[in-house]
Structure formats: structure tokens, C-alpha cells
Amino acid sequence: MAIAESVGRIGATLVAMVQTRLELAAVEVQEELQRFLGYVVLALASLILFGITALLVVLLVVVIFWDSYRLQAIGAMAVLFGVAGGAIAMQVKRSFDARPRLLGATVAELNKDVNFIRNAGHADE
């Protein structure tokens, strides 16, 4: 009977561990989806506002320099917006590279569980 009870307790413990890890994974996935949705909404709002601003600034500069330097003004605006776009793209890449690994905490906890089970098996010997 003692062996059956031990196996039952071990089984119940393993099921509880898996349940806890799955709940942790679900929370992490939900947090990552919310973070991603926030990135998308802010990026779209920013894109729309900067697009309108860019058009108005370019129009203003071209109108100001229409009689004398219209081509140079258009070229300068193109270079300016190209550099700004490149800087923003690099910032977005850095932001994505710095985000936490998906399910990182779940994987760490599973590794702890595996190490604990391995060490528990060696302790019985």
C-alpha cells in the first residue's frame, strides 16, 4: 500500500506542477499579447500623426522656397525624413530585441522542476 500511496502522491504532485506551469504560461502569453497590441496601437497612431506632420512640413518648405530653391528644398526634406525614418526603425529594432523572451519564466520554472526531480531521484539511491 505504501508504494501505491507514494506513486499517487508523486502523480498528484506532478499534475499540480504541470497545472501551475500551464497557468504561468497562459499569463505570460496574455501579457505578451497585451504588450504587442500596445506597440501596434501606438505605432499606428504615431505613423498617422507623423505622416500628416511630414506632409504639412514639406508643403510649407516647398512653398517658402518655391521661387528660388524648390528642388533643393524638396531634396533636403527627403533626406531629413529618410534619416528620421532610419532612426525610428533602429529604435523599434532595439525595443524588440530588449523585450523579455516569450515564456521565459515558464521555461525557467520547468528547468527548476526537472532539476529538482533529478536531484530527488539521486537522493533516494
Side-chain angles (χ1 to χ4, degrees), residues 1-119:
M1 246 344 149
I3 292 175
E5 289 177 14
S6 294
V7 169
R9 281 191 302 238
I10 290 172
T13 301
L14 289 175
V15 168
M17 287 171 51
V18 168
Q19 179 184 6
T20 301
R21 299 313 177 236
L22 288 175
E23 289 172 357
L24 177 61
V27 168
E28 285 188 75
V29 167
Q30 186 177 16
E31 287 176 352
E32 189 64 26
L33 287 174
Q34 288 175 346
R35 187 178 300 117
F36 182 73
L37 181 61
Y39 286 147
V40 168
V41 168
L42 290 176
L44 287 175
S46 176
L47 183 64
I48 291 168
L49 294 173
F50 277 126
I52 293 169
T53 302
L55 287 173
L56 292 174
V57 168
V58 168
L59 181 64
L60 176 67
V61 170
V62 170
V63 168
I64 289 172
F65 292 103
W66 185 259
D67 290 333
S68 54
Y69 300 104
R70 74 177 148 251
L71 294 179
Q72 291 87 345
I74 293 170
M77 290 287 97
V79 168
L80 176 70
F81 285 108
V83 169
I88 291 170
M90 290 189 316
Q91 177 62 34
V92 168
K93 183 182 181 319
R94 278 195 298 271
S95 176
F96 274 118
D97 291 343
R99 75 182 192 278
R101 191 173 138 212
L102 181 63
L103 301 177
T106 299
V107 170
E109 288 299 318
L110 287 172
N111 286 334
K112 287 181 189 177
D113 294 342
V114 168
N115 289 333
F116 177 77
I117 292 169
R118 285 183 183 157
N119 291 336

